Amino acid sequence: MAKRKPEPEPENPEPQKTLNRGDSAERDTTPENPEESPETRKWSLNDFEIGKPLGRGKFGRVYVAREVKSKYVVALKVLFKKQIEKYNIHHQLRREMEIQTSLRHPNILRLYGWFHDEERIFLILEYAHGGELYGLLRENTCLTEKRAATYILSLAQALVYCHEKDVIHRDIKPENLLLDHEGRLKIADFGWSVQSKNKRHTMCGTLDYLAPELVQNKAHDYAVDNWTLGVLCYEFLFGVPPFEAESQKDTFQRIVKVDLSFPATPQVSAEAKDLITKLLVKDTSKRLSLQKIMEHPWIIKNADPTGICNN
Ligand code: AMP
């Protein structure tokens, strides 16, 4: 999986003012419904000074930008309508925007609002100064137990919040995790998430992080996110996902069999391995709950409850 390293940081990335709930950036129309009531603020490109590019995704680019009046620094994601049409992802995008706008958690990237012109859709996102966690993993290969535990705790807390709101993320992976200016982890990209009380049947997500019930195309629920925390915890500590294989077919098989083994190096504590083993469990009713993850001895011993750990 070749991924570009994040672009250099902008000179003045710190937010100078916070956009809070109720601020006008949140009120806007959707790309599918351009009509708006007179009292809602309509954002346009003129409201922003555009800075350096932060990266490029499948459907467009992301720039650091500053709202002219408040000087508030955001990330502006520019999506091309033609691309959205070509890949027929209107509904997915709309769902992503609705879900992400409604979520308020320190470990979930805020989507403040959006606007559009003839050709493009602009998403006004919280700026994650630290870039992708993926970049950090590639640089350091593996993370310290303290840092890994801090991120797993942050993720578990964010997922408790999501699951309480009936949101299953389904696509948690290092590329979808960003870091803010303090090093706090932020879940971004709700493109595959779904809001539902019922079991789901859609096959989705990224291969290495898929739970057995997803691989086998069975009905699935919140427990798929808990499995992913086990995969991530393993990858944080060993530098590779646990079921990596030459071919997709082999990865599928390893996942279904829960073919889990721990390499001798790097040296990882028995408590960390215990947590991973209790998360990578095929029977969803026996898979560790988010609450139990947060109470696990390895988390209690290593995680920084502030969510900030830079070593
Ligand atoms: P995406 O289209 O979401 O995959 O984003 C492309 C790249 O832009 C990502 O790989 C990140 O490095 C960067 N990026 C996306 N969103 C943000 C953000 N809110 N803050 C900082 N960088 C971002």
Side-chain angles (χ1 to χ4, degrees), residues 194-242:
V194 72
Q195 203 156 16
S196 167
K197 283 190 194 300
N198 304 318
K199 288 218 167 196
R200 309 284 311 174
H201 285 269
T202 328
M203 171 80 160
C204 61
T206 305
L207 197 66
D208 275 305
Y209 302 88
L210 288 181
E213 59 271 27
L214 277 173
V215 171
Q216 294 177 300
N217 223 355
K218 289 184 181 165
H220 57 272
D221 60 14
Y222 307 99
V224 296
D225 286 341
N226 302 24
W227 171 277
T228 309
L229 289 197
V231 176
L232 272 181
C233 191
Y234 188 107
E235 184 169 2
F236 289 165
L237 296 170
F238 294 99
V240 285

Side-chain angles (χ1 to χ4, degrees), residues 3 54-57 62 75 77 109 125-128 132 178 189:
K3 261 255 165 167
L54 292 167
R56 189 194 289 217
V62 184
K77 193 177 209 176
L109 195 83
L125 290 161
E126 178 180 355
Y127 174 46
E132 284 180 18
L178 298 175
D189 218 327

